[in-house]
Amino acid sequence: MTFEEALQKLEKIKDELDSPEITLDKSLSLYEESVNYTKLCLDLLKQTEGKIVAVKSEIDKIIERPLDTDKE
């Protein structure tokens, strides 16, 4: 599941929880489901953060290399 899909599920759950007709049991069930989607979103964000850090590190290595001006 993608981050965007999980976020959509969370938004749907929020809308359901806002309903005045919702039962306590259904609220609890939706809450538990929302915790799982929240964990998934956080995991996906951490993975993405790791990828960004790795790419930035590679870019920093390229930028920090001195230019080889002896080759003409």
Side-chain angles (χ1 to χ4, degrees):
M1 176 175 284
T2 67
F3 177 82
E4 292 78 11
E5 291 169 337
L7 197 55
Q8 285 178 346
K9 296 280 189 181
L10 284 169
E11 288 173 0
K12 183 180 178 202
I13 289 170
K14 182 240 175 243
D15 291 341
E16 289 183 59
L17 287 170
D18 285 342
S19 170
E21 294 89 31
I22 194 165
T23 65
L24 182 60
D25 287 338
K26 182 67 176 173
S27 293
L28 180 58
S29 174
L30 288 171
Y31 177 76
E32 290 172 339
E33 191 177 346
S34 73
V35 168
N36 292 329
Y37 285 121
T38 300
K39 286 179 184 178
L40 175 61
C41 285
L42 290 173
D43 288 344
L44 292 170
L45 285 172
K46 286 179 185 178
Q47 289 174 14
T48 301
E49 180 183 28
K51 291 176 185 177
I52 290 170
V53 168
V55 169
K56 185 182 179 313
S57 175
E58 288 299 313
I59 291 171
D60 289 345
K61 288 177 188 175
I62 293 168
I63 292 173
E64 290 174 2
R65 282 189 225 156
L67 293 175
D68 190 4
T69 55
D70 294 339
K71 295 181 182 178
E72 290 186 27

